[in-house]
Amino acid sequence: MSAVTQAAFTAGDVTHQLTADTVRAAAARLAPADSADPHPNRSWYGLVGTHLYYVVDLVEEATGVRDVKVKTARLRLAELGFPVFALAWNTLLTQGYPGHTG
């Protein structure tokens, strides 16, 4: 488990704090990702407890901020110690997606 207790990110001119507790509370309010009906535009998921959630949904729900960038969400969740997974296939495996990794 990560020793980091808070992760900060800036959206607009405001710095927002994210904690493991706020992420867990957000997960309790969200429906887990459904492998039987995956969202076609979501590639990054965070593991909270025994369920996967889309990283942006977790961070937005935990902070109330909208339009969180995928890269920001996945890095802050990983910083807090949550395992983060990418759903990738085809050229995403060989070339990556610059908007998510760059």
Side-chain angles (χ1 to χ4, degrees):
M1 186 69 157
S2 174
V4 173
T5 59
Q6 284 189 341
F9 67 96
T10 302
D13 293 334
V14 179
T15 299
H16 302 276
Q17 298 295 322
L18 190 64
T19 68
D21 287 341
T22 59
V23 171
R24 286 186 199 96
R29 295 187 297 270
L30 293 171
D34 186 351
S35 63
D37 186 25
H39 192 287
N41 298 320
R42 295 182 172 174
S43 302
W44 288 94
Y45 297 87
L47 180 66
V48 180
T50 59
H51 297 289
L52 290 174
Y53 300 87
Y54 182 50
V55 295
V56 170
D57 289 350
L58 278 171
V59 173
E60 288 182 348
E61 182 70 24
T63 62
V65 177
R66 296 296 161 234
D67 299 320
V68 172
K69 304 266 189 252
V70 173
K71 182 178 179 182
T72 299
R74 70 178 181 79
L75 291 176
R76 295 301 75 82
L77 289 170
E79 186 178 349
L80 289 170
F82 292 99
V84 176
F85 300 90
L87 174 63
W89 62 94
N90 220 359
T91 57
L92 286 176
L93 289 173
T94 59
Q95 298 171 11
Y97 184 79
H100 295 183
T101 58

